[in-house]
């Protein structure tokens, strides 16, 4: 049983398409991160959310605490967005994160 | 400070050999975490330190694994008598206690291949 579930696992999109990646979690959390992992493994934190919505450039992240659900949206997708996107939830107790298995995104020119 | 640094980036070793990885956290961060990520999976927690004290260890951390943070700054993760199942990406992250998830920063990882 995973505390954090992501969907879809794999996603292929044409350049310019609007992309949505979903994350559901089963524990009470204090915050949720959306992470981007490029080939080679380096991880970058895109957003840290505890409520509402955040926007950075073409990326938008939303979270609904009551429904235990978060989404990451990419507008006007570009091939350089191709990466694995990982949802990471910080539970209310404990000091570790629970991670989703990631969504592998490929944007085709 | 350029973030969390991990060394080496890649390590190929023969089964049975010992390996050691290093993580340098963001200098003012007092918490340091080790995670392991196998192919197609999200990272799994291994252990974390607050300053030099190792406060939590996962059951994933077998007796062959040991982590240290002797001066409360950099940390090392050693795997003794490596097995093929140890092949994974080993990720380090750091944070500042009391800030929750804010500023939680990952390193680029060390990819271990056991042949």
């Amino acid at each position: 049983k995973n505390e954090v579930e992501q969907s879809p696992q794999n996603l292929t999109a044409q350049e310019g398409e609007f992309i949505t990646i979903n994350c559901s979690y089963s524990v009470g959390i204090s915050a949720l991160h959306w992470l981007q992992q490029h080939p080679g493994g380096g991880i970058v934190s895109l957003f840290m959310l505890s409520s509402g919505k955040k926007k950075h450039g073409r990326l938008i992240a939303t979270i609904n605490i009551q429904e235990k659900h978060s989404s990451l949206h990419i507008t006007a997708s570009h091939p350089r967005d191709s990466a694995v996107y990982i949802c990471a939830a910080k539970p209310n107790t404990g000091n570790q994160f629970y991670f989703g298995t990631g969504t592998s995104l490929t944007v085709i020119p | 400070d350029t973030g969390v640094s991990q060394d080496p980036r890649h390590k190929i070793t023969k089964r049975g050999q010992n390996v050691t990885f290093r993580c340098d956290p963001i200098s003012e961060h007092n918490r340091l975490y080790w995670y392991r990520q196998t192919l197609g999976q999200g990272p799994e927690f291994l252990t974390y330190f607050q300053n030099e004290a190792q406060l939590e260890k996962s059951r994933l951390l077998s007796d062959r694994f040991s982590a240290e943070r002797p001066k409360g700054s950099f940390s090392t993760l050693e795997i003794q008598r490596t097995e093929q199942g140890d092949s994974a990406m080993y990720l380090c992250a750091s944070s500042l206690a009391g800030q929750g998830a804010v500023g939680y920063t990952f390193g680029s990882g060390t990819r271990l291949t056991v042949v």
Side-chain angles (χ1 to χ4, degrees), chain B residues 7-51:
Chain B
D7 183 69
R9 291 292 304 274
H10 304 276
K11 177 72 176 178
I12 300 174
T13 191
K14 290 185 178 179
R15 187 160 49 101
Q17 297 293 305
N18 299 345
V19 293
T20 300
F21 312 139
R22 176 178 170 128
C23 171
D24 286 87
I26 289 176
S27 55
E28 59 266 28
H29 283 183
N30 55 0
R31 285 190 174 163
L32 186 148
Y33 309 78
W34 284 100
Y35 291 86
R36 180 176 69 186
Q37 185 180 25
T38 52
L39 200 62
Q41 300 296 315
E44 297 171 294
F45 171 78
L46 292 178
T47 188
Y48 101 95
F49 293 83
Q50 179 153 320
N51 301 313

Side-chain angles (χ1 to χ4, degrees), chain A residues 2 9 30-33 35 37 40-45 48 84 86 88 90 94-102, chain B residues 9-10 31 33 35 37 40-45 48 56 89 91 99-109 111:
Chain A
N2 290 332
Q9 280 194 312
S30 59
L32 183 140
H33 277 242
L35 311 172
Q37 185 173 32
I43 287 182
V44 174
S45 178
M48 195 277 290
V84 174
I86 302 171
K90 176 73 168 61
N95 291 291
Q96 60 170 292
F97 277 79
Y98 293 118
F99 294 85
T101 55
Chain B
R9 291 292 304 274
H10 304 276
R31 285 190 174 163
Y33 309 78
Y35 291 86
Q37 185 180 25
Q41 300 296 315
E44 297 171 294
F45 171 78
Y48 101 95
E56 193 173 340
M89 174 76 81
L91 292 162
Q99 288 198 340
V102 175
Y104 200 94
T105 305
F106 284 89
S108 295
R111 183 172 295 283

Side-chain angles (χ1 to χ4, degrees), chain B residues 86-103:
Chain B
D86 298 330
S87 296
M89 174 76 81
Y90 290 84
L91 292 162
C92 176
S94 70
S95 70
L96 190 59
Q99 288 198 340
V102 175

Side-chain angles (χ1 to χ4, degrees), chain A residues 28-88:
Chain A
I29 67 168
S30 59
L32 183 140
H33 277 242
W34 279 102
L35 311 172
Q36 182 190 55
Q37 185 173 32
H38 280 285
I43 287 182
V44 174
S45 178
L46 299 173
F47 294 104
M48 195 277 290
L49 293 163
S50 54
S51 65
K53 176 179 174 178
K54 286 189 176 179
K55 185 176 188 293
H56 182 69
R58 295 180 295 104
L59 302 178
I60 303 167
T62 63
I63 189 167
N64 185 318
I65 298 293
Q66 286 74 29
E67 294 186 3
K68 291 188 166 64
H69 182 268
S70 177
S71 293
L72 176 68
H73 306 284
I74 305 175
T75 61
S77 59
H78 190 276
R80 65 175 173 265
D81 297 326
S82 298
V84 174
Y85 293 84
I86 302 171
C87 167

